[in-house]
Amino acid sequence: MRAFGTTIFAEMSALAVQTGAINLGQGFPDTDGPAAMLDRAVQAIGAGANQYPPGPGVLELRQAVSEHRAAHYGLAYDPVGEVLVTVGATEAVAASVLALCEPGDEVIAFEPYYDSYAASIALAQAKLVAVTLRPVEGRFTFDPDELRAAVTPRTRAILVNSPHNPTGTVFTRDELTVIAELCQERGLIAITDEVYEHLTFDGVEHVPMATLPGMRERTVMISSAGKTFSVTGWKTGWVCAPPALVTAVQTVKQFLTFTASAPWQLAVAYGLRHEMEWVAALGAGLQDKRDRLMEGLSAAGFSVLRPAGTYFVQTDIRPLGFTDGLELTRRLPELAGVVAIPTQVFYDHAERGRHFVRFAFCKKEEVIDEAVARLKRLSS
């Protein structure tokens, strides 16, 4: 693990604290989730839900997850045996990779990829094979031929993140069908990170891989309360998959954290059953904030790509005369009093993302406006 060091999120958030810069880097909201759901957590603590919950998770949450999958996607998962609660989606991804991959296996991921993917694959002594997402007509997508060429006899799984962090792309049904057909042709597992499933914009549909023909039985579907309900600090996620896959993931997960957060689990169960209108309003508000930030970044001189989901906007820094995103973001607090994330750190082929910088718009409007005003210094 020596090659991984400190995550870019820790580095940039620390830089924001040290310099007093506005943090548009790390993807956490600066407002709380639904008040009634927060109250449920307080009530659960007061009622004594403060010891170890069951290893698979509190049954009430597993039932609520099962109900949610059925209501939103028409997917039937048995809360006993096909739903596993995890310490956020990050643990779910790590436990899935560790459970399902042997040393020397290959896992395909789309670059730029969330940084924990590479670390999880390294811990499993497997190999990450990156397929690059490139801007085409204003959105990031992949070349189907390049994806097919990446599959070898050692390939075990394809890690699919949609809505995609850090590009903001949402894979279309046609794109997902390409992945699904390849999984079935080559006997691969799909590990799907869907934490931004409810945060899509402009009417764009999120299509879970498990809903495609032949994919439920070979998909490990991962979600989280953190992004859905703006409670990233609760670290409450879940896996939905067929029993054999859930058993494998739980076998690893029990030796990572065993279990956690009974009060949060009970509160999230309430949220899934009673606060989805709040989530819909959150998505609409984030779309407005996205537009606000995009307009400001364009006015500041960045070339901006329009995200269809997530918390993030990708920008091309070359119109401002910069070519290295890592160098710029380390100087940005001094130049403009703002922190962002250099996208190149999420690539195996860093040169392909060197000119991209990611900004987060999951912040209050006044924070976005002040950040944009400061960023205009770059072009003045």
Side-chain angles (χ1 to χ4, degrees):
M1 295 299 290
R2 287 191 184 96
F4 290 92
T6 302
T7 72
I8 193 67
F9 304 109
E11 178 185 344
M12 291 301 167
S13 289
L15 191 59
V17 172
Q18 291 165 10
T19 61
I22 294 174
N23 190 351
L24 297 189
Q26 194 167 4
F28 60 87
D30 54 5
T31 54
D32 278 332
M37 190 182 82
L38 304 183
D39 288 342
R40 281 299 192 284
V42 175
Q43 292 168 20
I45 292 170
N50 301 306
Q51 308 308 323
Y52 296 127
V58 173
L59 180 57
E60 187 173 340
L61 175 54
R62 286 181 280 140
Q63 290 171 333
V65 168
S66 177
E67 294 162 9
H68 176 274
R69 303 289 93 168
H72 287 268
Y73 307 125
L75 289 168
Y77 287 101
D78 187 343
V80 179
E82 293 191 314
V83 180
L84 170 67
V85 180
T86 59
V87 182
T90 301
E91 185 192 41
V93 170
S96 297
V97 171
L98 288 164
L100 301 172
C101 296
E102 299 293 337
D105 283 351
E106 295 175 353
V107 179
I108 293 173
F110 295 94
E111 69 173 357
Y113 49 75
Y114 185 62
D115 62 349
S116 82
Y117 298 171
S120 297
I121 292 166
L123 284 168
Q125 300 180 56
K127 178 185 177 183
L128 190 153
V129 177
V131 172
T132 306
L133 299 176
R134 297 178 176 86
V136 177
E137 297 180 354
R139 65 181 292 271
F140 285 83
T141 188
F142 61 90
D143 181 337
D145 291 334
E146 186 178 344
L147 174 61
R148 292 188 188 97
V151 177
T152 76
R154 297 294 308 182
T155 306
R156 173 64 172 153
I158 302 179
L159 216 171
V160 182
N161 175 209
S162 180
H164 184 266
N165 174 15
T167 68
T169 204
V170 178
F171 288 153
T172 65
R173 187 176 294 274
D174 287 345
E175 288 167 334
L176 292 168
T177 297
V178 169
I179 301 169
E181 290 175 349
L182 189 57
C183 286
Q184 292 173 78
E185 289 168 11
R186 304 300 292 270
L188 309 180
I189 294 170
I191 301 172
T192 63
D193 178 350
E194 304 179 35
V195 296
Y196 294 99
E197 61 191 302
H198 293 295
L199 305 182
T200 63
F201 314 126
D202 305 319
V204 171
E205 178 189 20
H206 167 63
V207 179
M209 180 74 75
T211 64
L212 299 183
M215 287 306 295
R216 185 195 181 282
E217 58 265 34
R218 61 176 64 252
T219 298
V220 177
M221 185 181 192
I222 296 169
S223 295
S224 172
K227 302 302 192 295
T228 298
F229 296 110
S230 295
V231 286
T232 59
W234 285 15
K235 297 300 294 178
T236 302
W238 48 87
V239 166
C240 295
L245 296 179
V246 165
T247 297
V249 176
Q250 186 179 346
T251 300
V252 171
K253 181 260 190 297
Q254 68 184 337
F255 295 113
L256 296 176
T257 59
F258 177 54
T259 189
S261 309
W264 317 145
Q265 291 190 37
L266 291 166
V268 172
Y270 173 86
L272 287 171
R273 287 169 167 158
H274 301 287
E275 296 291 354
M276 295 311 295
E277 289 186 8
W278 184 95
V279 174
L282 171 67
L286 281 170
Q287 179 173 315
D288 291 341
K289 291 179 179 182
R290 176 204 63 176
D291 295 345
R292 194 183 199 102
L293 180 58
M294 286 179 60
E295 181 180 350
L297 290 169
S298 296
F302 293 89
S303 177
V304 182
L305 289 102
R306 186 182 190 85
T310 76
Y311 285 166
F312 309 111
V313 170
Q314 283 292 337
T315 64
D316 188 328
I317 62 176
R318 290 174 295 185
L320 286 164
F322 299 99
T323 57
D324 188 321
L326 183 57
E327 178 185 351
L328 174 60
T329 53
R330 285 175 171 162
R331 293 181 57 203
L332 205 54
E334 168 197 347
L335 296 173
V338 175
V339 161
I341 296 291
T343 310
Q344 69 204 67
V345 302
F346 305 127
Y347 285 79
D348 280 7
H349 309 89
E351 70 282 358
R352 297 178 184 175
R354 197 176 305 280
H355 53 285
F356 293 122
V357 167
R358 189 194 82 173
F359 292 88
F361 52 83
C362 51
K363 309 295 179 181
K364 296 175 183 175
E365 287 86 350
E366 58 266 31
V367 173
I368 293 173
D369 291 345
E370 176 59 24
V372 165
R374 295 183 183 189
L375 288 166
K376 288 179 179 177
R377 301 174 195 168
L378 296 173
S379 56
S380 61

